[in-house]
Amino acid sequence: MRIGVVDVGSNTIRLLLAQVEGQDIVPLAKERVRLALGAEIEQRGAVSDVSIAASAKAVRKLCAVARNG
């Protein structure tokens, strides 16, 4: 079975695409997009609409990578 996981963190959005083989998880692709959302929250107290849009775009891109992987 193939699985994909997208992790949205405070600084980076990451993708792990893997093949599950029995008890093993075999990585097929790893990608990341750095957005530094945490720094923006520290400076402004919130994430801007621009950063939210950039985050959504990054998640869409990583989902497309997972679908095509």
Side-chain angles (χ1 to χ4, degrees), residues 6-60:
V6 175
D7 172 35
V8 179
S10 61
N11 290 307
T12 307
I13 299 175
R14 297 173 187 262
L15 166 70
L16 171 62
L17 181 61
Q19 182 74 29
V20 178
E21 298 175 357
Q23 296 280 324
D24 297 325
I25 298 174
V26 179
L28 300 175
K30 293 181 182 180
E31 301 249 348
R32 70 180 179 182
V33 177
R34 183 160 164 66
L35 293 172
L37 302 174
E40 186 172 356
I41 291 170
E42 283 185 29
Q43 292 172 356
R44 301 183 62 223
V47 179
S48 68
D49 291 342
V50 171
S51 291
I52 291 170
S55 297
K57 182 178 179 181
V59 169
R60 283 192 299 274

